[in-house]
Amino acid sequence: MRLFAKHRIATLFSPAFAVCLAMPCFAQADSADPAVGSSAGKSLWEMFLAGGPLLLPIVICSFVLLLVVFERSVSLRRRRVVPRLFSERFLLQTGEGALTKNEALQRCLENDSLVARVFASAVRKWGKPAVEVEQAVIDEGERMANEMRRFLRVINGVATVCPLMGLLGTVWGMMQAFEAIAGNSAMGRPDLLAGGISGALLSTAAGLSVAIPALILYLWFVGRVDMLVMEIDRYGQELVNLISAEALEERRSKPRGTKAKKAA
């Protein structure tokens, strides 16, 4: 668990500092080339300004991504969605007949997990035909699935928009670089073109540095939500087989059949 927590913290903070990590790499590449000595030794703020105006929205997107990932990581914890101890104990007590309808509903209302809401929806149909109980589980399960998928579109949006903003920033920077060359004597001045291209490409690198972790996190969250939805559906189906009218009638008939065999 500690290793998983450390890995999660590192994953959460990687998008926010991806832009900052990309900037020193460009600084080292510039300083390694003596022909581009004017761009060597730039500070982080100077490289941020060199990236153009579209670098600011990319940085903002990285912090929005950080907040959403942190919120979803907390909200999609197993004990908040499908606490295994509560689910298995609830189904065991219901199957043994240790809980009445009101007691089972009270247990569900006292637990704030998502699977408890699905159980509560099914318990309200206690004793009804299996089709009605199952439909109640499906309807509530869809609402819980939509709640678990909340804000995932934000992560997908960051993964989609950041590379486009980076590309637009690069195009904008290239246009400015060629305009600067057109207004000066370009003969023997390759540093004018190289410096402009370096600053223009910085926005593309920043956009990709945010978009790649965002896409990976989006796919991971989608997979986790699907796994939790399948688990809720499995527990819900087990509850349907315990509290539907057909299941209750079958349980009542079993003791009678046993007594009849003993009497015979």
Side-chain angles (χ1 to χ4, degrees):
M1 293 297 293
R2 293 180 179 175
L3 294 175
F4 179 74
K6 292 180 180 178
H7 175 71
R8 177 181 295 176
I9 293 173
T11 304
L12 292 180
F13 280 90
S14 59
F17 295 100
V19 178
C20 298
L21 292 176
M23 291 180 179
C25 295
F26 277 90
Q28 293 175 3
D30 291 338
S31 61
D33 189 358
V36 198
S38 60
S39 61
K42 284 185 177 180
S43 65
L44 189 63
W45 176 249
E46 290 173 343
M47 298 200 71
F48 177 80
L49 295 178
L54 288 174
L55 196 61
L56 179 60
I58 294 175
V59 174
I60 294 175
C61 287
S62 69
F63 282 100
V64 172
L65 175 65
L66 175 63
L67 294 176
V68 173
V69 168
F70 179 77
E71 189 274 337
R72 286 292 85 191
S73 299
V74 174
S75 299
L76 294 179
R77 287 182 299 176
R78 178 174 294 276
R79 63 180 182 182
R80 291 178 63 94
V81 181
V82 191
R84 185 167 299 173
L85 181 61
F86 166 78
S87 303
E88 294 179 355
R89 182 179 296 177
F90 181 85
L91 292 174
L92 179 62
Q93 292 178 344
T94 303
E96 293 177 349
L99 297 176
T100 62
K101 177 180 179 180
N102 293 332
E103 291 174 347
L105 184 59
Q106 185 62 30
R107 291 279 183 89
C108 295
L109 295 178
E110 290 175 355
N111 193 283
D112 61 347
S113 63
L114 299 185
V115 71
R117 301 183 194 178
V118 176
F119 285 170
S121 180
V123 168
R124 292 188 179 94
K125 299 290 184 178
W126 187 296
K128 299 292 181 65
V131 177
E132 293 187 26
V133 183
E134 187 174 4
Q135 188 60 44
V137 170
I138 293 174
D139 293 341
E140 189 65 24
E142 289 180 354
R143 285 190 284 270
M144 296 302 101
N146 291 333
E147 184 173 343
M148 285 188 286
R149 293 189 180 100
R150 186 178 57 178
F151 299 139
L152 293 187
R153 289 185 178 180
V154 176
I155 302 177
N156 189 25
V158 170
T160 305
V161 171
C162 280
L164 298 178
M165 288 193 297
L167 180 60
L168 180 59
T170 296
V171 173
W172 181 265
M174 295 286 287
M175 292 170 59
Q176 289 183 333
F178 283 113
E179 285 180 2
I181 292 175
N184 294 277
S185 177
M187 295 298 295
R189 299 291 303 276
D191 56 313
L192 293 177
L193 181 60
I197 293 176
S198 175
L201 292 177
L202 183 60
S203 60
T204 297
L208 292 175
S209 299
V210 176
I212 292 173
L215 181 59
I216 294 174
L217 290 169
Y218 172 75
L219 295 176
W220 185 81
F221 278 121
V222 169
R224 181 165 182 80
V225 168
D226 291 341
M227 180 190 65
L228 293 174
V229 168
M230 291 176 61
E231 194 164 351
I232 290 176
D233 180 72
R234 179 171 62 84
Y235 282 133
Q237 190 60 45
E238 291 182 15
L239 185 60
V240 171
N241 297 332
L242 293 175
I243 65 174
S244 63
E246 295 85 347
L248 295 176
E249 183 63 27
E250 184 180 356
R251 260 191 291 173
R252 293 193 196 101
S253 62
K254 279 184 179 180
R256 295 176 183 176
T258 305
K259 290 180 180 179
K261 288 182 181 179
K262 289 182 179 181

